[in-house]
Amino acid sequence: MAVLTVSPAAVLLLFVTLAATYVLVRRRLQTTTSATQAAKVERDEHSKIRHPPAEPSQLGGTLAAALPDSVTLPDARPAFKSAVNKYWAQQECEVTPSCVVRPRNAEELSKAVTIIKREYDGQASKREPTGNRSGTSSTLFAIRSGGHSPVAGAASVEGGVLIDLGGLNEVCPSEDGHSVSIGAGAKWMDVSKVLDQRDLAVVGGRNSAVGVGGLTLGGGLSFFTPRYGLVCSNIISYQVILASGTIVTADATNNPNLWRALKGGSNNFGIVTQLTARSFPTSKIWSGFLYLPSFQASKVLACFHESVDVPQSTGVTGTKPDIHAAGPIACFTYVHQLGIQAISVNIVYTAPPDKEGQWPEYWQRSPFSRLWRLWSTCVTRTLTSATDELNILNPPGKRQSFATTTIKNDQATLAAAHEAYASAILAFRKANVKNLVFTLVLQPFPSSVSQNDCPLPLGLNHDASGAALVNVSFTVNWPLAKDDETVKALTRLATEEIDDFASANGTGHRYRYLNYCAEWQRPFEGYGVENLAFLRDVSARYDPDGLFQKGCPGGFKLWETDN
């Protein structure tokens, strides 16, 4: 790093910036800030009224009689409250189901689905035919894997049955090391902790607390995506409970259309209880964050554009792509409590560097190595350690919201995204949203995402121009329920500003990454007409009565109406 000659005023500015950014990072790592305390106070107040003793619903009573060891009713207050509070986003903890079903195996879940389907069929006269999303839904149940979605009702249900897959969390590597069987209720930390001990890995989540089932069914981005594609591209087979209660296997030979539909089709076809993923040898990886002051924003945007413009290359035109280089994740964060903005960039190389203590050659040659920064956390570490670092930056206990879009890697459009972020900060200040943390995240979609033995139904294709694609997302957290609608409205406005600019300049893309979508977004429309028709055909075949469209309306459905 070059030696800088600066004035006393500049030294003072640097000191203030360093101190403020240090406080920012400490704030993000700690779990006892005033914002979190405020959220706890509100959470405790809600808990007094959210989980009162109650008579079980008729459906809950039937399930409890059939599965007495796997069903928790509201009158079992401590156990029921604990089960309901196991969500990342605080607003999801404030939804009260009639009972919680935590199956111990696929057979128990099959029995539960059969009972729920019987109830659903009994309400048939109240529903419109499958394919018409505007009819009355039954809202009988929801499915929770890791509970990490902030979308209202995605994995929670008011007055219905919560199916909690948390008991299906086994991780079993094959003897030959080529695959691993994973319970759909596992979290990625469960997977990496087992595989780290065997010097193995799978293409999995980058946040250790995210659930395996939800991430995989939405597509799934990974540190290993440049090398192997999306998470869903590496699933050899799924075990699925259909609406009839039948347990089936979906793979390249058995139910191949269902296998393909599950690669991004979310919870629209059945309940995945187990999946088998390809595994591969790996040792420790090199990863961490670069922390920079906010006045580096324009340089970070330029570095991001330059590094993504030659995807996974070593920085020299014509060289072979470096499959170990994960795309940079550039984060621009505003912290209301401190009144500051700061920048962090996550960089990863999925193999240890040649020389201990040095950056891998790819990142040494990247423009990010030339950026002046406050400090970095980049070290050689286990995959579990790398994913824990992303998890600890945004712990549970706060209200959360996402929104996303996709653009081409165009400098003007990247700048417009940052301008929308800056405008939103002014709007949040004007609205006086207390203790808000608002982050703009930029990350590339590597060209490898469309490389797959089984064509994905995502429509995530790079166009004839060859321009790289960039995922733009907002992640927001705040403590108070009174600000919910304001936060969501302003986040939507910022997202639509980016879409408007990209549309006007021909730099947009229809794809929306399902796992980052807000509830008002329609990710399946972004998959394209043919892919949406394919997914609907599979749904009609495997769930002809629409149990997973009407009886489980949470999340993103294949038949949606505009908000």
Side-chain angles (χ1 to χ4, degrees):
M1 191 181 299
V3 177
L4 301 178
T5 302
V6 293
S7 67
V11 171
L12 178 60
L13 175 61
L14 173 61
F15 176 78
V16 172
T17 302
L18 179 61
T21 307
Y22 173 75
V23 173
L24 163 66
V25 176
R26 285 292 302 273
R27 180 205 178 279
R28 297 182 72 187
L29 294 179
Q30 68 187 7
T31 59
T32 58
T33 63
S34 61
T36 303
Q37 291 169 350
K40 183 179 184 302
V41 170
E42 180 168 282
R43 184 165 65 251
D44 291 343
E45 288 302 310
H46 275 287
S47 68
K48 296 175 183 178
I49 59 175
R50 282 187 294 116
H51 310 307
E55 292 296 325
S57 66
Q58 182 177 351
L59 178 57
T62 303
L63 287 165
L67 300 165
D69 297 324
S70 300
V71 175
T72 303
L73 298 173
D75 53 8
R77 287 200 70 190
F80 184 79
K81 181 178 179 180
S82 174
V84 172
N85 283 341
K86 290 180 180 177
Y87 290 94
W88 174 60
Q90 173 58 29
Q91 68 267 24
E92 289 288 78
C93 298
E94 296 166 7
V95 179
T96 308
S98 64
C99 69
V100 179
V101 179
R102 187 179 171 92
R104 296 171 295 180
N105 50 55
E107 288 71 25
E108 285 193 350
L109 182 53
S110 171
K111 184 179 292 187
V113 170
T114 300
I115 292 170
I116 293 170
K117 178 60 161 58
R118 187 186 309 135
E119 174 70 15
Y120 177 81
D121 290 341
Q123 299 179 3
S125 62
K126 302 177 183 179
R127 296 192 308 274
E128 296 187 20
T130 300
N132 186 342
R133 184 65 177 87
S134 62
T136 302
S137 64
S138 299
T139 317
L140 288 174
F141 69 105
I143 309 160
R144 181 175 71 192
S145 171
H148 207 271
S149 173
V151 174
S156 61
V157 58
E158 186 68 42
V161 177
L162 171 60
I163 296 176
D164 176 13
L165 301 180
L168 307 178
N169 61 358
E170 66 282 352
V171 179
C172 302
S174 64
E175 292 186 7
D176 62 10
H178 295 328
S179 65
V180 56
S181 174
I182 308 170
K187 296 184 178 182
W188 289 109
M189 67 177 74
D190 302 323
V191 179
S192 62
K193 286 178 181 178
V194 170
L195 298 186
D196 280 346
Q197 298 176 5
R198 293 168 169 79
D199 289 330
L200 293 173
V202 296
V203 181
R206 299 167 299 181
N207 182 322
S208 61
V210 169
V212 168
L215 180 84
T216 304
L217 292 174
L221 290 167
S222 170
F223 294 142
F224 297 100
T225 291
R227 185 177 177 186
Y228 294 113
L230 296 177
V231 176
C232 67
S233 300
N234 293 274
I235 303 304
I236 299 169
S237 68
Y238 304 86
Q239 183 185 75
V240 190
I241 311 294
L242 300 180
S244 63
T246 304
I247 305 173
V248 302
T249 296
D251 57 27
T253 303
N254 303 288
N255 302 294
N257 283 343
L258 178 59
W259 178 56
R260 181 186 173 206
L262 290 169
K263 296 177 182 290
S266 196
N267 65 347
N268 285 284
F269 312 100
I271 303 178
V272 173
T273 58
Q274 185 182 71
L275 49 87
T276 302
R278 293 187 184 92
S279 57
F280 47 88
T282 191
S283 56
K284 293 182 178 179
I285 70 172
W286 182 90
S287 76
F289 278 89
L290 311 179
Y291 287 97
L292 309 100
S294 60
F295 61 74
Q296 291 278 64
S298 60
K299 290 184 177 180
V300 171
L301 290 171
C303 289
F304 181 89
H305 176 264
E306 181 182 340
S307 66
V308 174
D309 197 43
V310 188
Q312 294 91 52
S313 81
T314 58
V316 180
T317 303
T319 58
K320 185 177 180 180
D322 191 331
I323 58 175
H324 291 290
I329 306 175
C331 307
F332 304 82
T333 299
Y334 164 68
V335 182
H336 167 267
Q337 186 180 11
L338 301 177
I340 66 170
Q341 299 180 49
I343 303 169
S344 59
V345 182
N346 182 245
I347 54 177
V348 175
Y349 196 80
T350 57
D354 293 334
K355 296 182 179 180
E356 184 67 28
Q358 293 189 5
W359 284 29
E361 183 180 357
Y362 170 84
W363 287 112
Q364 288 183 35
R365 295 188 181 186
S366 79
F368 288 105
S369 68
R370 302 189 293 270
L371 278 178
W372 186 87
R373 54 191 178 272
L374 296 167
W375 75 91
S376 81
T377 64
C378 297
V379 294
T380 301
R381 61 178 86 194
T382 64
L383 184 59
T384 299
S385 173
T387 59
D388 278 345
E389 184 176 31
L390 270 73
N391 173 47
I392 201 172
L393 293 178
N394 196 354
K398 293 173 281 187
R399 315 182 82 79
Q400 303 279 350
S401 185
F402 290 163
T404 189
T405 189
T406 304
I407 62 174
K408 294 179 183 178
N409 184 38
D410 171 73
Q411 280 187 306
T413 311
L414 291 172
H418 190 269
E419 289 173 7
Y421 156 78
S423 296
I425 291 172
L426 296 177
F428 282 125
R429 287 173 174 168
K430 185 176 181 179
N432 197 29
V433 179
K434 299 290 188 181
N435 296 317
L436 174 94
V437 179
F438 179 60
T439 302
L440 165 69
V441 184
L442 305 175
Q443 55 185 313
F445 284 119
S447 58
S448 59
V449 299
S450 57
Q451 299 170 6
N452 190 39
D453 295 338
C454 172
L456 301 178
L458 304 178
L460 182 54
N461 301 313
H462 293 64
D463 62 22
S465 70
L469 298 179
V470 174
N471 173 265
V472 180
S473 62
F474 290 108
T475 177
V476 199
N477 65 66
W478 67 103
L480 302 178
K482 70 180 182 63
D483 295 320
D484 286 3
E485 296 309 313
T486 298
V487 170
K488 293 178 182 179
L490 293 178
T491 304
R492 178 171 184 169
L493 180 61
T495 306
E496 291 175 341
E497 286 179 7
I498 300 169
D499 285 337
D500 290 344
F501 183 93
S503 177
N505 290 274
T507 54
H509 193 281
R510 69 186 183 189
Y511 177 74
R512 301 292 180 268
Y513 179 43
L514 184 147
N515 290 331
Y516 293 167
C517 279
E519 52 259 45
W520 55 268
Q521 297 189 288
R522 299 289 177 261
F524 294 121
E525 293 179 4
Y527 288 11
V529 174
E530 291 184 5
N531 287 323
L532 179 55
F534 166 75
L535 294 174
R536 286 175 171 174
D537 286 345
V538 175
S539 172
R541 176 180 176 185
Y542 287 91
D543 182 19
D545 297 322
L547 176 65
F548 290 95
Q549 300 302 307
K550 303 273 189 183
C552 178
F556 299 103
K557 302 286 99 174
L558 296 174
W559 286 271
E560 296 278 7
T561 56
D562 293 332
N563 283 348

